[in-house]
């Protein structure tokens, strides 16, 4: 990037730089005005909606950043993509069975999401997967289509099993998956009591191992599922009781985000073999459930890198259908109904987190210091090194600077250097490193340590969000999400930065970013302009992020707004969910906000009696405290709103000031 480039920076260059057209999967793009757009449908046409326009509308409605945007329309389209891709594979191969998806509720349990999938998915008989009693209660309420399935996974007690059996009684195709050998007796006992014949599946421990972040779900020693021995014993018990007709399904789950199509194919092959032999043993069968794992291409590289996948949804469906078909044809068996439990693929694209940048920390903003003749030797040496930096001395100057910085720290700790001199020394140290980095630009050979300097010198952009609340997988498992500015994309981003959130935790940072080849440590960003918001979007966050988040530093849920376009192409804001207030999050940790206000009121009253404050001051203090208790947990700016540069009409004469 040449900041001084005379050519105008083209929007296309931003699109390439942030790779939005690869990971965006046709849902996100950049418009001519340099803003990120989401492509929403009204009827059969697609409308480009600028995220800046959406944000301006949200602010006019009185909500502040950060905000989570949900696009139901995208959810509908991923549900359609999955079902239609299976449909095409079935038609193309002449497969005789059908495909039935079930959405695993744990991936995003929000009512809006489950309801949308159940409602829109009905045309495909898309069902739900429950891994707990609570999720099964949700599933039974939302699934009424007799052709959809409800699959019950997870540890089951008698109540869980009874619920599943009552689903069956009501005419919902509820399948109970045995995760543990011990569950069989309980299922048979409850079924007899309730007078229904259960529909049973077995979860297999396959020997196929997969690479990827969540691969522990697979392999012989995975915690879930039955071994081959336990599977055969299940058959024997059922045969003895004359209930082999109840064993109808083979199920497995390799883990989420499987990057490699080879692993997927190996597992389907193995599971199909088990399916065939269970049928030969006399079990009724009829259903093969291949679990989740269909991956999302977070970095757009289309490789078997953990943040990507080396296949697409069509290839996935074709491979599954062909493999099952080949196995069954060879064994002379009818083709089973194929169930898959994709969650990540369905929900990732439909949520975007938007946050504003509050401040930027830069190492190059320190003023130049003059080293006088009477300065300590250490400082004079550093000043000398600074003068000596040139393309031939890079490594040497770098080494000397590192050495002297340590010397300075030691001298300071031992009381031989003043705080003022230490600060001057550190200032010189950073200026040397910046000069080394600058001189190294464009050189053919750059020493490794010097190469890494650029990352160490990067700016820190302080973002108004909590990593722990909104992007827990980024912290917990190092997951990469595409992040980019949602405006100013017609301008060259001439800074390199990393992000820090507003929790005061040093883990609350983002310093790994998607890249087509590897992982980058800094992201190209724009200089923040005074009095103007700089807004970032974190994309593909619809899966797993919303309820894993925690209340670190008591930052609560963000505001959530669902966005769609109406028949006239106008933006329609629905299902606005206000984020947690401070009172809400305090309540989660057992405080009573009313008590807190009363305690502060008492304290202020005492201060009045002691003549420390006036009654009017008491009132102002108590009002401000109460306003804080009822406010948003994130940083709120009450300044006039700068959604500048967008089609908004100035926006935000903001909330009335409390004090
Ligand atoms: C989590 C889970 C899924 C969802 O997997 P994705 O990779 O998100 O599609 C499916 N099945 C089971 C049993 C799960 O535990």
């Amino acid at each position: 990037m040449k900041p001084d480039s005379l050519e105008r920076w083209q929007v296309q260059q931003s699109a390439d730089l942030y790779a939005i057209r690869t990971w965006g999967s046709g849902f996100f793009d950049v418009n001519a005005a340099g803003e990120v757009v989401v492509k929403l449908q009204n009827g059969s046409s697609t409308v480009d909606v600028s995220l800046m326009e959406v944000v301006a509308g949200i602010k006019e409605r009185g909500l502040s950043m950060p905000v989570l945007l949900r696009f139901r329309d995208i959810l509908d389209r991923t549900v359609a993509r999955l079902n239609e891709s299976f449909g095409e594979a079935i038609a193309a191969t002449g497969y005789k069975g059908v495909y039935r998806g079930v959405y695993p509720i744990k991936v995003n349990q929000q009512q809006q999401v489950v309801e949308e999938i159940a409602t829109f998915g009905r045309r495909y008989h898309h069902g739900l997967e429950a891994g707990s009693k609570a999720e099964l209660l949700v599933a039974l309420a939302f699934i009424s289509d007799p052709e959809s399935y409800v699959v019950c996974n997870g540890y089951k007690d008698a109540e869980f099993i009874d619920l599943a059996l009552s689903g069956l009684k009501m005419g919902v195709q509820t399948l109970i998956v045995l995760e543990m050998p011990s569950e069989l007796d309980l299922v048979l006992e409850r079924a007899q009591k309730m007078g229904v014949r259960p529909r049973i599946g077995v979860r297999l421990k396959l020997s196929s191992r997969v690479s990827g972040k969540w691969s522990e779900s697979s392999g012989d020693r995975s915690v879930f599922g039955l071994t081959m021995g336990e599977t055969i014993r299940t058959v024997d018990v059922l045969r003895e009781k004359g209930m082999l007709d109840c064993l109808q399904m083979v199920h497995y789950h390799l883990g989420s985000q499987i990057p490699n199509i080879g692993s997927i194919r190996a597992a389907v092959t193995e599971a199909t073999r088990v399916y065939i032999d269970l049928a030969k043993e006399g079990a009724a069968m009829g259903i093969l459930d291949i679990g989740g794992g269909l991956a999302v291409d977070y970095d757009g590289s289309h490789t078997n890198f953990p943040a990507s996948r080396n296949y697409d949804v069509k290839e996935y469906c074709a491979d599954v259908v062909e493999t099952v078909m080949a196995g069954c044809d060879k064994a002379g068996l009818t083709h089973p109904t194929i169930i898959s439990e994709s969650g990540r693929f369905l929900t990732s694209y439909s949520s975007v987190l938007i946050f504003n940048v509050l401040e930027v920390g830069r190492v190059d903003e320190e003023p130049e210091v003059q080293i006088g003749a009477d300065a300590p030797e250490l400082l004079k040496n550093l000043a000398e090194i600074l003068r000596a930096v040139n393309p031939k001395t890079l490594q040497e100057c770098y080494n000397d600077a590192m050495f002297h910085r340590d010397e300075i720290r030691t001298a300071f700790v031992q009381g031989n250097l003043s705080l003022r001199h230490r600060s001057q020394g550190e200032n010189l140290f950073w200026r040397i490193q910046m000069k080394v980095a600058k001189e190294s630009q464009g050189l053919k050979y750059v020493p490794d340590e010097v190469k890494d300097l650029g990352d160490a010198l990067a700016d820190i952009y302080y973002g108004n969000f909590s990593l722990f609340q909104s992007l827990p997988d980024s912290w917990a498992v190092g997951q990469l999400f595409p992040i980019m500015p949602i405006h100013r994309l017609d301008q060259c981003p001439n800074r390199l930065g990393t992000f820090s959130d507003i929790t005061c935790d040093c883990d609350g940072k983002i310093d790994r970013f998607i890249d087509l080849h590897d992982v980058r440590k800094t992201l190209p960003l724009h200089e923040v302009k005074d009095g103007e918001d700089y807004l970032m979007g974190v994309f593909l966050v619809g899966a797993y992020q919303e309820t894993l988040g925690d209340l670190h530093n008591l930052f609560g849920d963000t505001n959530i707004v669902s966005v769609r376009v109406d028949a006239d192409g106008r933006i329609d804001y629905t299902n606005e969910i206000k984020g947690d207030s401070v009172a809400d999050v305090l309540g989660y940790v057992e405080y009573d906000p009313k008590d807190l206000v009363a305690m502060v009121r008492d304290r202020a009253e005492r201060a009045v009696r002691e003549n420390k404050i006036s009654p009017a001051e008491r009132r102002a203090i108590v009002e401000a405290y109460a306003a804080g208790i009822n406010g948003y947990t994130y940083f709120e700016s009450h300044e006039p709103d700068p959604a500048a540069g967008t089609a908004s009409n100035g926006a935000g004469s903001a909330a009335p000031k409390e004090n």
Side-chain angles (χ1 to χ4, degrees):
M1 268 164 296
K2 283 171 290 171
D4 306 319
S5 162
L6 293 176
E7 284 164 54
R8 228 179 99 72
W9 179 260
Q10 302 289 325
V11 164
Q12 173 65 39
Q13 289 167 277
S14 286
D16 293 343
L17 180 64
Y18 297 110
I20 190 170
R21 288 182 187 146
T22 50
W23 57 255
S25 197
F27 298 125
F28 303 99
D29 203 346
V30 176
N31 67 12
E35 297 174 349
V36 171
V37 292
V38 53
K39 294 175 170 292
L40 299 181
Q41 283 183 338
N42 63 339
S44 54
S45 65
T46 306
V47 184
D48 283 1
V49 176
S50 160
L51 294 186
M52 285 304 277
E53 210 179 316
V54 170
V55 167
I58 286 171
K59 287 187 177 170
E60 281 168 11
R61 283 160 180 78
L63 291 184
S64 352
M65 300 297 108
V67 64
L68 185 79
L69 304 179
R70 283 215 194 103
F71 304 104
R72 290 183 177 210
D73 169 42
I74 292 185
L75 205 50
D76 294 351
R77 277 143 77 200
T78 47
V79 170
R81 260 189 207 179
L82 179 64
N83 280 282
E84 279 162 23
S85 300
F86 265 112
E88 282 163 26
I90 284 170
T93 52
Y95 190 81
K96 301 286 187 318
V98 295
Y99 168 73
R100 293 282 182 268
V102 292
Y103 168 68
I105 296 176
K106 74 149 194 270
V107 178
N108 187 327
Q109 305 98 326
Q110 302 293 322
Q111 195 253 343
Q112 289 178 12
V113 172
V114 172
E115 181 176 25
E116 187 67 21
I117 292 175
T119 316
F120 180 82
R122 202 183 154 105
R123 72 190 68 183
Y124 302 109
H125 310 296
H126 210 97
L128 293 169
E129 185 266 359
S132 67
K133 271 186 278 193
E135 290 179 358
L136 178 56
L137 290 164
V138 169
L140 289 177
F142 279 100
I143 295 296
S144 54
D145 175 4
E147 287 194 52
S148 303
Y149 288 93
V150 169
V151 175
C152 304
N153 290 317
Y155 291 105
K156 294 166 212 69
D157 60 9
E159 195 185 354
F160 192 160
I161 292 166
D162 286 1
L163 272 172
L165 294 171
S166 30
L168 259 187
K169 277 191 162 176
M170 293 188 295
V172 182
Q173 300 199 71
T174 318
L175 296 159
I176 299 177
V177 176
L178 303 180
E179 303 255 2
M180 310 283 291
S182 59
E183 283 174 351
L184 178 61
D185 286 345
L186 195 56
V187 171
L188 295 182
E189 181 202 315
R190 303 310 300 178
Q192 196 178 21
K193 274 217 174 90
M194 292 185 59
V196 285
R197 285 188 92 70
R199 299 182 66 174
I200 298 174
V202 282
R203 177 163 181 171
L204 303 176
K205 273 186 181 160
L206 296 181
S207 53
S208 325
R209 276 202 170 273
V210 297
S211 56
K213 256 186 208 316
W214 289 272
S215 55
E216 287 78 18
S217 312
S218 63
D220 299 325
R221 292 295 299 156
S222 60
V223 281
F224 297 113
L226 307 190
T227 62
M228 296 304 153
E230 289 160 350
T231 305
I232 282 297
R233 278 198 288 283
T234 303
V235 170
D236 292 342
V237 171
L238 288 172
R239 176 181 291 121
E240 205 172 286
K241 301 200 185 279
M243 293 181 77
L244 271 179
D245 59 306
C246 296
L247 182 53
Q248 302 185 356
M249 179 170 86
V250 153
H251 166 254
Y252 66 89
H253 174 60
L254 283 183
S256 203
Q257 185 68 13
I258 308 294
N260 190 346
I261 189 75
S263 315
I264 287 166
R265 215 182 318 214
V268 182
T269 307
E270 189 181 352
T272 305
R273 278 290 300 121
V274 176
Y275 176 93
I276 291 165
D277 277 19
L278 290 180
K280 284 187 182 159
E281 287 278 341
M285 304 316 287
I287 309 170
L288 178 62
D289 178 347
I290 62 171
L294 174 54
V296 163
D297 196 1
Y298 292 95
D299 66 12
S301 69
H302 202 83
T303 60
N304 64 0
F305 190 68
S308 185
R309 45 157 178 66
N310 64 4
Y311 57 92
D312 65 15
V313 59
K314 285 196 192 308
E315 195 179 341
Y316 173 89
C317 297
D319 276 17
V320 167
V321 170
E322 280 165 19
T323 308
V324 177
M325 182 164 160
C328 291
D329 284 351
K330 199 163 141 211
L333 274 188
T334 334
H335 301 160
T337 293
I338 297 173
I339 290 183
S340 83
E341 304 176 346
S342 281
R344 184 184 295 276
F345 177 81
L346 294 189
T347 58
S348 289
Y349 296 94
S350 63
S351 300
V352 177
L353 175 74
I354 308 281
F355 67 84
N356 52 321
V357 170
L358 297 170
E359 203 171 329
V360 181
R362 286 168 63 155
V363 289
D364 62 354
E365 275 184 333
E366 300 259 325
E368 230 173 276
V369 294
Q370 297 304 327
I371 300 302
D374 53 347
E377 270 318 289
L378 268 173
L379 297 194
K380 286 189 193 157
N381 290 345
L382 277 166
E384 190 46 47
I385 299 167
L386 179 59
R387 270 191 293 277
V389 177
N390 70 50
K392 294 210 175 69
T393 59
L394 296 181
Q395 179 79 58
E396 190 188 331
C397 290
Y398 172 88
N399 293 344
D400 289 352
M402 295 302 266
F403 174 79
H404 280 85
R405 182 181 60 171
D406 291 346
E407 291 286 287
I408 281 175
R409 285 183 181 167
T410 312
F412 173 74
V413 170
Q414 291 173 347
N416 299 328
L417 195 73
S418 71
L419 181 59
R420 185 167 296 277
H421 282 138
R422 177 179 170 174
S423 94
Q424 291 174 345
E426 288 182 358
N427 175 299
L428 282 166
F429 168 79
W430 286 113
R431 301 237 313 278
I432 294 167
Q433 302 298 51
M434 280 186 289
K435 195 165 167 195
V436 168
K438 195 157 175 225
E439 294 285 343
S440 73
Q441 274 170 16
L443 290 188
K444 257 209 202 92
Y445 170 74
V446 178
D448 281 349
E449 284 169 310
V450 173
K451 251 187 239 158
D452 293 340
L453 255 187
D455 297 332
L457 296 171
D459 300 343
I460 301 174
Y461 282 64
Y462 293 90
N464 192 13
F465 71 103
S466 159
L467 191 78
F468 308 93
Q469 175 61 250
S470 295
L471 304 168
D473 278 348
S474 171
W475 166 65
V477 290
Q479 159 133 32
L480 300 175
F481 295 100
I483 304 179
M484 64 182 289
I486 61 167
H487 58 147
R488 299 179 61 187
L489 299 168
D490 52 349
Q491 300 163 26
C492 177
N494 54 13
R495 305 295 305 175
L496 289 175
T498 61
F499 293 100
S500 174
D501 73 2
I502 57 170
T503 68
C504 42
D505 188 315
C506 56
D507 279 344
K509 62 177 186 208
I510 305 175
D511 54 7
R512 292 169 70 252
F513 302 93
I514 60 157
D515 188 62
L516 283 189
H517 303 294
D518 197 355
V519 173
R520 37 180 323 159
K521 297 199 179 121
T522 56
L523 189 69
L525 293 167
H526 302 87
E527 260 173 81
V528 174
K529 294 184 187 158
D530 274 348
E532 195 184 297
D533 262 353
Y534 188 44
L535 293 169
M536 308 298 305
V538 189
F539 295 83
L540 276 49
V541 297
Y544 298 103
Q545 303 313 291
E546 293 188 30
T547 31
L548 277 179
D550 70 22
L551 292 174
H552 204 42
N553 280 120
L554 296 183
F555 288 106
D557 278 343
T558 64
N559 293 320
I560 302 177
V561 179
S562 282
V563 177
R564 60 179 186 201
V565 284
D566 66 14
D568 304 325
R570 270 192 316 241
I571 305 175
D572 188 8
Y573 301 87
T574 57
N575 291 85
E576 171 184 314
I577 304 173
K578 244 186 146 11
D580 285 326
S581 67
V582 174
D584 292 334
V585 299
L586 289 176
Y588 299 148
V589 283
E590 311 291 332
Y591 291 93
D592 185 339
K594 275 202 225 84
D595 290 350
L596 294 177
V597 175
M599 283 153 78
V600 168
R601 194 186 300 118
D602 287 351
R603 154 132 343 152
E605 183 55 35
R606 235 181 300 139
V608 172
R609 265 187 272 124
E610 291 161 4
N611 288 324
K612 288 187 177 135
I613 56 173
S614 70
E617 282 171 319
R618 183 203 105 141
R619 187 177 146 193
I621 289 171
V622 174
E623 272 174 9
Y625 188 88
I629 288 267
N630 293 317
Y632 199 20
T633 56
Y634 293 89
F635 187 91
E636 290 178 287
S637 110
H638 285 291
E639 254 137 54
D641 187 27
T646 65
S648 96
N649 49 11
S653 43
K657 291 224 163 126
E658 307 285 279
N659 38 4

